[in-house]
């Protein structure tokens, strides 16, 4: 069946790969002062595509979430669940998806006004949880997350129409410049980079371990890095970063003894709910991309 929709962000599937200006706003709110972020914070997010917060979550909540991490990691039934993704070589747990439906502690976190408030403010609407996950990035064996735009994947594989979604990454262990902390190209969110290749069937079974399809070509990455630079986001447990769905970001492998374990919550606007994928034959499972759009 030919897809007659106009695709405003064509990618993969033999489209001409390249870099196009973003066709949508970054900050959707009508009242920049109508929410927990200061006008300066909103402006910084708009310009850089991300906003780092030194202390978003209190130490006692971090302790609870860390204990929860240990409990989830030790749960053998969960290890066999498709929501648990193992590292390609060590077999250690790399990520657990849909933690907000698995764990009451993470369910409370996604509803915490310190996370949801800024998301509603930036997206200018009610929001629902598109995806939640813990990325463990264990010491010694935590493998990289190669450069990518989340929105490119969510558009191609989940049918997300526009980049009207924001991720919050909360550090549950210290994010150092040595243990594979998040790298972002500030300002890259204003460009949409179409990627080469075609989406294989059940792509998530490999992409969540090591993403190859949906990563930009070297020339586009080099151009973006030359234009915008690369910033490393470090901070103590409890620190966080809000970042736009279309930021070019990635993180290196962790060969230090110190795990870099973060929880990621992705809020999507209720005005941007998923349709059919724009660059894949079938939608991904709902533990990766929720198709229940009830506002938080
Ligand atoms: O495919 C996804 O939805 C996931 N993959 C990456 C590398 N980042 C976003 C998300 O966790
Ligand atoms: Fe990502």
């Amino acid at each position: 069946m030919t897809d007659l929709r106009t695709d405003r962000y064509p990618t993969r599937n033999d489209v001409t790969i390249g870099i196009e200006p973003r066709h949508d706003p970054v900050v959707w709110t009508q009242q920049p002062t109508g929410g927990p972020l200061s006008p300066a914070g909103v402006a910084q997010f708009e310009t850089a595509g991300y906003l780092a917060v030194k202390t978003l979550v209190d130490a006692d909540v971090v302790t609870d979430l860390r204990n929860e991490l240990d409990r989830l990691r030790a749960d053998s039934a969960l290890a066999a669940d498709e929501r648990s993704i193992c590292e390609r070589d060590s077999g250690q747990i790399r990520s657990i998806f849909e933690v907000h439906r698995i764990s009451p502690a993470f369910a409370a976190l996604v509803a915490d006004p310190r996370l949801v408030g800024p998301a509603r403010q930036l997206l200018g609407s009610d929001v629902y949880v598109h995806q939640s996950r813990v990325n463990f990035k264990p010491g010694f064996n935590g493998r990289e997350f190669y450069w990518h735009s989340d929105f490119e994947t969510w558009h191609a594989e989940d049918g997300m129409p526009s980049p009207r979604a924001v991720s919050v990454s909360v550090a549950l262990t210290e994010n150092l410049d040595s243990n594979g902390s998040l790298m972002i190209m500030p300002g890259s969110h204003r460009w949409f980079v179409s990627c080469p290749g075609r989406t294989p069937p059940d792509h998530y079974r490999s992409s969540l371990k090591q993403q190859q399809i949906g990563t930009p070509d070297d020339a586009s990455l080099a151009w973006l890095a030359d234009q915008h630079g690369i910033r490393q986001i470090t901070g103590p447990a409890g620190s966080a970063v809000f970042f736009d769905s279309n930021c070019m970001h990635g993180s290196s492998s962790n060969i230090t003894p110190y795990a870099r374990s973060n929880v990621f919550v992705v809020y999507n606007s209720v005005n941007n709910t998923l349709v059919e994928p724009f660059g894949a034959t079938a939608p991904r499972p709902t533990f990766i991309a929720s198709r229940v759009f009830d506002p938080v």
Side-chain angles (χ1 to χ4, degrees), residues 10 21 36 47 65 72 80 86 90 98-99 104 113 124 130 153 161 165 167 183 195 210 250 286-287:
T47 306
L65 296 176
L72 296 178
C86 293
S90 70
E98 215 175 42
V99 282
H130 165 69
T153 289
S167 291
M183 296 185 284
C195 296
Q210 183 178 28
T286 54
F287 72 83

Side-chain angles (χ1 to χ4, degrees), residues 72 96-104 106-107 132-134 263:
L72 296 178
I96 297 179
F97 280 78
E98 215 175 42
V99 282
H100 70 293
R101 292 193 198 286
I102 292 171
S103 151
F106 286 109
S132 73
R133 69 198 182 272
V134 170
V263 55

Side-chain angles (χ1 to χ4, degrees), residues 4 15 80 89 167 212 273 275:
L4 301 176
V15 301
D89 35 19
S167 291
Q212 286 165 334
T273 52
V275 295

Side-chain angles (χ1 to χ4, degrees), residues 12 94-95 97 130-133 135 144-151 153-154 157-158 167 203-204 207-208 211 243 249-250 264 266 284 288-289:
R12 309 181 195 187
R94 174 176 171 88
S95 306
F97 280 78
H130 165 69
Q131 178 185 108
S132 73
R133 69 198 182 272
N135 285 347
E144 82 289 349
F145 289 84
Y146 193 72
W147 292 109
H148 64 283
S149 152
D150 291 339
F151 172 67
T153 289
W154 297 340
E157 298 191 54
D158 301 332
S167 291
H203 182 222
Y204 69 96
S207 68
L208 298 180
Q211 187 172 8
F243 60 103
H249 68 288
F264 292 75
V266 183
R284 298 196 296 176
I288 301 174

Side-chain angles (χ1 to χ4, degrees), residues 24-41:
D24 290 288
V26 174
V27 173
W28 300 71
T29 187
Q30 307 307 328
Q31 309 91 7
T33 54
L37 297 178
S38 67

Side-chain angles (χ1 to χ4, degrees), residues 58-81:
D58 306 324
D60 58 329
V61 174
V62 171
T63 304
D64 290 347
L65 296 176
R66 288 267 291 267
N67 293 336
E68 193 68 349
L69 278 196
D70 295 340
R71 184 181 74 78
L72 296 178
R73 195 183 4 229
D75 180 333
S76 53
L78 188 52
D81 188 298

Side-chain angles (χ1 to χ4, degrees), residues 237-260:
S239 64
V241 55
F242 293 84
F243 60 103
D244 179 84
S245 61
N246 189 42
C247 283
M248 193 56 66
H249 68 288
S251 58
S252 304
S253 287
N254 181 11
I255 57 172
T256 74
Y258 314 114
R260 194 238 57 187

